[in-house]
Amino acid sequence: MEMELDLSVLKAGMLFRNLSDEEILGVIGTMSPHRMKYAKRTVVAQDGDEFPEIGVILSGSVHLSHIDANGNSNLMDVLGAGDTLGELNSVGRYRLHVTITATAQTEILFLSVDQLLRKNVLTAPTQIRFLQNLTLAVACRGQYLTRKLEDSIRRSTRERLQDYLSAQYHKAGSRTFSIPLNRQDLADFLFVDRSAMSNELCRMRDEGLLKF
């Protein structure tokens, strides 16, 4: 690598779990690594683009959003340092169905998995362990998308809010926490109308369920 990597960021994600520093650098070296920086509000990749590499966010954050046929923006996910993107696309060679936009100054490490998946160069146990981690990462991404689909079909606005806020509470480990979304982003993420969501938040506040 041309520059030093903060390996603690890589270790925080699933792809490099249980790998030593030397093993991480070794397996990365076989995947044509390169780093890209994006200014805030820059589009990293658009819906319909090919996305042949896995991206590991080294710093900053991105939104994954989809514009439906009616022009509505649906926020699919919010990713930050240590998170990965493009697992399904790079492994399955699928085109993107979301647009990836940097929401802050962001740096991403791109890794090509073709060498490991399709060119029969699995010569080291570390490479095999990385592929095991990649398999788990793909499974987790599929599970996340399944849950999001179920929520969008079956849940009321209040239930979606409760599920999201409960998850943020457990993540923060505190009843007082900040979320990485403004009100419009939250409505887009929950697939609900902003006004309806705001009214529900006010009702929940009036009932003593939360303060904001």
Side-chain angles (χ1 to χ4, degrees), residues 187-205:
D188 292 343
F189 183 76
L190 298 177
F191 301 165
V192 296
D193 176 76
R194 173 177 170 168
S195 296
M197 183 195 73
S198 294
N199 290 337
E200 193 60 57
L201 281 170
C202 290
R203 280 192 288 269
M204 294 169 71
R205 179 195 58 196

Side-chain angles (χ1 to χ4, degrees), residues 80-116:
D83 291 330
T84 56
L85 50 88
E87 303 99 317
L88 297 177
N89 308 93
S90 59
V91 172
R93 288 182 171 173
Y94 304 123
R95 291 182 180 272
L96 286 174
H97 286 281
V98 295
T99 293
I100 304 169
T101 306
T103 56
Q105 185 74 27
T106 299
E107 184 174 16
I108 301 175
L109 171 67
F110 290 99
L111 303 170
S112 173
V113 295
D114 269 0
Q115 285 289 108
L116 300 181

Side-chain angles (χ1 to χ4, degrees), residues 5-208:
L5 281 172
D6 183 354
L7 296 182
S8 65
V9 174
L10 300 184
K11 288 181 175 180
M14 185 172 294
L15 285 182
F16 300 100
R17 69 189 187 97
N18 300 326
L19 297 180
S20 68
D21 291 359
E22 294 75 14
E23 288 172 330
I24 291 173
L25 292 174
V27 75
I28 285 176
T30 68
M31 292 189 286
S32 304
H34 62 100
R35 299 161 72 163
M36 296 289 293
K37 292 183 178 181
Y38 302 91
K40 184 178 181 179
R41 299 189 181 89
T42 299
V43 174
V44 177
Q46 291 185 326
D47 191 339
D49 286 350
E50 292 183 346
F51 204 81
E53 300 168 309
I54 289 178
V56 183
I57 301 174
L58 301 178
S59 63
S61 59
V62 301
H63 281 185
L64 277 59
S65 56
H66 176 71
I67 307 297
D68 64 25
N70 296 318
N72 300 310
S73 177
N74 302 302
L75 183 57
M76 303 300 296
D77 207 352
V78 179
L79 303 177
D83 291 330
T84 56
L85 50 88
E87 303 99 317
L88 297 177
N89 308 93
S90 59
V91 172
R93 288 182 171 173
Y94 304 123
R95 291 182 180 272
L96 286 174
H97 286 281
V98 295
T99 293
I100 304 169
T101 306
T103 56
Q105 185 74 27
T106 299
E107 184 174 16
I108 301 175
L109 171 67
F110 290 99
L111 303 170
S112 173
V113 295
D114 269 0
Q115 285 289 108
L116 300 181
L117 289 177
R118 301 183 176 94
K119 297 189 178 179
N120 300 316
V121 293
L122 289 176
T123 59
T126 303
Q127 294 173 327
I128 296 173
R129 287 163 60 198
F130 173 82
L131 287 183
Q132 291 173 333
N133 289 343
L134 176 58
T135 300
L136 290 174
V138 169
C140 285
R141 174 58 54 181
Q143 176 67 7
Y144 169 81
L145 293 174
T146 299
R147 291 200 310 269
K148 193 160 182 63
L149 175 62
E150 291 174 346
D151 287 345
S152 69
I153 293 173
R154 300 176 181 172
R155 301 297 183 92
S156 67
T157 297
R158 174 171 291 208
E159 287 173 322
R160 295 184 199 186
L161 281 167
Q162 289 174 326
D163 283 352
Y164 177 79
L165 295 174
S166 177
Q168 294 298 309
Y169 156 69
H170 287 293
K171 183 177 180 180
S174 170
R175 290 184 177 274
T176 301
F177 52 85
S178 298
I179 65 174
L181 303 172
N182 60 35
R183 195 167 294 207
Q184 184 61 59
D185 289 338
L186 180 57
D188 292 343
F189 183 76
L190 298 177
F191 301 165
V192 296
D193 176 76
R194 173 177 170 168
S195 296
M197 183 195 73
S198 294
N199 290 337
E200 193 60 57
L201 281 170
C202 290
R203 280 192 288 269
M204 294 169 71
R205 179 195 58 196
D206 295 343
E207 293 171 19

